């Protein structure tokens, strides 16, 4: 008897989870063996992580056990770390389980923080990238508050919080901080005026590429809550004592959170794929060039927006859309067809939360501010949960306080 | 018109607070001006601090604003730090308010951790001594858990907790840790088996001087919850990496909590009083030898138990009893009498909590174990609140879950 073809999905982020979920619904038991590999036994919502990082939402609200969402009768889950992909041998090396062969591979290994080669970032800065990393940020911040009053000498750098990068993640995190810091001041008997939140951005504006009117709105709002913006201010080095700016000035701080963007997965570089900053420029059908059986999804996939000749930013929205094309195309290959669908992104809009029930966004051509943008953001978050796990998952993990 | 005599009370611990409270009730408005000086605007229950240090009780449950308990029409409260006492000039130097004269002085400046000259304790060890210090311990422990999983290399020293000293505070803290650590393991996805709690004691037994049968009970119970005892194990040095034992062996740990006992206040040494480890051997009427107008109370007062020719251990119980004698004697001096009362301690018993609703104790000649000892401990805690602030304070801050 012929062995069932094996579909191997690497990574349980937005792209990998949605592909596994869709394939398990579209394929019969005998069509294929589906294996999902992920380093944790849970999936988490990367786009929500600024909240548990600041401590405004518990991290368990952002994650779910993989076996509670995926049909484990149809998808075999392996908890393991991917070491290398050997595409020429059609196999993957895992840290614990050794080699695993595949017939079709879907790579959704996510992203890593982009340091731009700035010295000290890896050693001394935090990044918002996983449940593990944001729990550490939350507790580090709280430890700084807890330590401040227990020292005869007052360390102002304990109460200076630098967010490097004023892109989406940086701005959303700063927004949550403005909500959380007054609570911490109360808990640890510290005057709010002693605490500094700095948003440091190399580009000439916060939220580069976003509508200027909305950027102004966001900056004014955050400034009114005590955020100090340092725009057009490149950082030259991160040290254990703070950051050194390109001007040579130093800002002392024990907490530098690095949010200047992401690159793809270093596993792709290591595995011999041709990449640009860890991302593979995919064919129109989402396959890696030169590999008929390898699909790339999410942050690892580079797709050029031909209107402006620049890559689409890697977002949850685009990863979810890609999962439709990828699962359809894997199914087509399984059935012997070579008629694959082309992926066409359909960017519906972008919403950035600012904390405290506020947000800004563009949906279609419409600008949203304040409460209505915040409600839209929650609707977007809930929609993903609905696609992934239906109404039960929305009820369990969704943001149901739509209008607060 | 003659100025009212001024009674100055330094320190709002058990002794200072109870003296202020009693004097404000016993004296009329025109009898004296009463001033209480304390470095925080709150009083806290030193004997409860092992709980917020472990994170099993919120620190706000152990403290109360001074002006919420003391009658501020009769007692003037000054929030300031005592720098020096100039007994020969009958005045006290405060950090912020400068000089303050007195007619009668009550010194209740509490204690400081005893390091026995062991190198590294002040720099690298935590101590359970104030609201500020225990908040830092709680958050440091949580930060260790939060950091463990966010590192590729696993640092076992992050999950090794050393409690130096198995006296009352050390044992009570270890007991709370056994309650707290399973919660932290759950919160941070860590196996309980990876965490080590070490109780390290130089003396040949835990709880030296306590009933051996009760000591056995306590140690067995704590061992069954995963505590590892290292008895007869002196520590030679504390470093940033852990402790070095007298044998030369090193135990790596990022968390050393120092509970090997206390000394009195270094302000007394600095002010020229004759002290033994920061404590003044008081006269029978609680006055400092050679100073007719200076009373010593609480941890700063040294009183010999003549039955065994050793000092009474400084406890809340004895400080509260002293406040009765001190307030009575201050009142007598005010009224021109020289007939002062002799202080006679009446040690009713000792109860040590072990966490998880367990305790051990001796009340009179009766040994108490388990739940009944735990209930007794809570009754003792509530009794103090009753003495200080009556039933309203018991209701507000008391331990009302007597049987759980």
């Amino acid at each position: 008897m012929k062995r069932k073809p094996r579909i191997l999905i690497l990574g349980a982020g937005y792209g990998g989870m949605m592909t596994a979920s869709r394939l398990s619904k579209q394929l019969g038991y005998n069509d294929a063996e589906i294996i999902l590999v992920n380093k944790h036994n849970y999936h988490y919502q990367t786009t929500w992580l600024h909240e548990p990082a600041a401590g405004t939402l518990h991290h368990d609200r952002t994650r779910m056990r993989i076996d509670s969402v995926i049909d484990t009768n149809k998808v075999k889950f392996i908890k393991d770390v991917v070491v290398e992909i050997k595409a020429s041998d059609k196999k993957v090396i895992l840290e614990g389980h050794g080699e695993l062969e595949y017939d079709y591979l879907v790579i959704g290994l996510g992203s890593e923080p982009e340091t731009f080669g700035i010295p000290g970032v890896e050693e001394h800065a935090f990044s918002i990238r996983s449940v593990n990393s944001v729990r550490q940020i939350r507790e580090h911040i709280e430890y700084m508050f807890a330590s401040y009053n227990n020292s005869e000498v007052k360390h102002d750098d304990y109460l200076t919080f630098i967010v490097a990068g004023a892109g989406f993640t940086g701005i959303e995190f700063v927004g949550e901080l403005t909500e959380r810091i007054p609570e911490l001041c109360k808990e640890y008997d510290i005057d709010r005026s002693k605490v500094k939140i700095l948003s440091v951005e190399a580009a000439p504006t916060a939220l580069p590429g976003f509508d200027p009117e909305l950027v102004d709105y966001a900056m004014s709002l955050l400034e009114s809550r005590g955020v100090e913006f340092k725009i057009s201010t490149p950082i030259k080095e991160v040290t254990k004592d703070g950051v050194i700016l390109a001007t040579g000035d130093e800002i002392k701080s024990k907490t530098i959170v690095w949010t200047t963007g992401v690159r793809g997965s270093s596993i792709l570089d290591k595995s011999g794929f041709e990449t640009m900053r860890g991302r593979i420029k995919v064919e129109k059908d989402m396959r890696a060039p030169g590999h008929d059986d390898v699909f790339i999804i999410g942050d690892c996939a580079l797709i050029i927006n031909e209107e402006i000749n620049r890559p689409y930013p890697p977002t949850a929205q685009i990863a979810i859309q890609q999962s439709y094309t990828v699962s359809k195309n894997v199914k087509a290959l399984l059935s012997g067809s070579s008629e694959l669908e082309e992926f066409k992104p359909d960017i519906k809009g972008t919403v950035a939360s600012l904390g405290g029930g506020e947000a800004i966004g563009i949906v279609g051509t419409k600008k949203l501010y304040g409460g209505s943008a915040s409600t839209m953001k929650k609707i977007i978050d809930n929609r993903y949960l609905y696609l992934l796990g239906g109404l039960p998952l929305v009820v369990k993990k969704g943001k149901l306080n739509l209008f607060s």
Side-chain angles (χ1 to χ4, degrees), chain A residues 220-231:
Chain A
S220 305
L221 183 76
L222 293 172
E223 278 173 341
S224 76
R225 297 198 205 131
V227 176
E228 194 179 324
F229 283 95
K230 290 194 175 290
I231 301 299

Side-chain angles (χ1 to χ4, degrees), chain A residues 163-171 199-202 205-208 229 231 259-260:
Chain A
V163 181
F168 261 73
T169 305
I171 289 294
S199 171
V200 182
E201 170 61 52
T205 173
L207 297 168
F229 283 95
I231 301 299
T259 71
T260 62

Side-chain angles (χ1 to χ4, degrees), chain A residues 158-394:
Chain A
Y158 283 20
L159 299 182
T160 301
F161 300 94
I162 296 180
V163 181
F168 261 73
T169 305
I171 289 294
E172 290 194 311
F173 177 59
V174 159
E176 296 302 314
L177 275 186
T178 63
E179 224 184 298
R180 178 65 176 143
I181 277 175
E183 296 170 1
L184 291 170
C185 286
K186 185 148 180 271
E187 174 77 0
Y188 294 102
D189 309 324
I190 289 170
D191 280 353
R192 172 66 183 84
S193 64
K194 291 216 168 85
V195 183
K196 279 191 175 170
I197 309 173
L198 300 178
S199 171
V200 182
E201 170 61 52
T205 173
L207 297 168
F210 212 58
D211 179 89
E213 201 183 334
L214 292 174
V215 174
D216 279 351
Y217 177 87
M219 287 180 72
S220 305
L221 183 76
L222 293 172
E223 278 173 341
S224 76
R225 297 198 205 131
V227 176
E228 194 179 324
F229 283 95
K230 290 194 175 290
I231 301 299
S232 300
T233 308
I235 290 170
K236 193 167 73 178
E237 191 181 345
V238 180
T239 70
K240 67 176 178 49
D241 301 317
V243 297
I244 298 168
L245 305 178
T247 57
D249 290 342
E250 185 184 17
I251 308 175
K252 288 192 184 291
S253 164
K254 287 279 178 237
T255 313
I256 295 111
V257 180
W258 200 255
T259 71
T260 62
V262 295
R263 67 189 305 289
S265 169
S266 55
I267 297 166
L268 295 183
D269 303 324
K270 210 171 97 181
S271 301
F273 288 96
E274 194 182 320
T275 67
M276 291 170 67
R277 294 169 51 202
R279 306 175 73 191
I280 295 173
K281 190 165 174 303
V282 292
E283 306 286 0
K284 292 195 187 305
D285 56 19
M286 295 303 299
R287 287 190 286 189
H291 299 274
D292 284 350
D293 43 20
V294 179
F295 292 84
I296 315 292
I297 194 164
D299 292 356
C300 290
L302 181 72
I303 299 170
I304 301 294
N305 181 346
E306 285 167 1
E307 284 175 36
I308 53 172
N309 199 30
R310 292 187 55 180
Y312 284 101
T315 61
Q317 182 180 186
I318 205 166
I320 294 164
Q321 291 178 5
Q322 288 165 351
S323 75
Y324 284 71
T325 300
V326 169
S327 55
K328 202 173 284 180
N329 287 350
V330 169
K331 195 183 170 199
L333 291 180
L334 269 176
S335 63
S337 164
S338 58
E339 295 271 310
L340 300 194
E341 179 183 277
E342 285 190 12
F343 174 64
K344 286 199 176 52
D346 175 21
I347 308 304
K348 301 202 185 294
T350 319
V351 186
S353 68
L354 302 172
E358 290 268 355
I360 50 169
I362 299 226
V363 175
T365 56
K366 194 171 155 49
K367 295 180 195 180
L368 297 177
Y369 296 82
S372 59
S374 177
T375 301
M376 180 57 71
K377 176 92 178 168
K378 289 171 189 167
I379 289 171
I380 293 167
D381 290 338
N382 291 341
R383 181 164 184 275
Y384 165 63
L385 292 171
Y386 181 76
L387 293 174
L388 183 62
L391 208 51
L393 194 59
V394 178

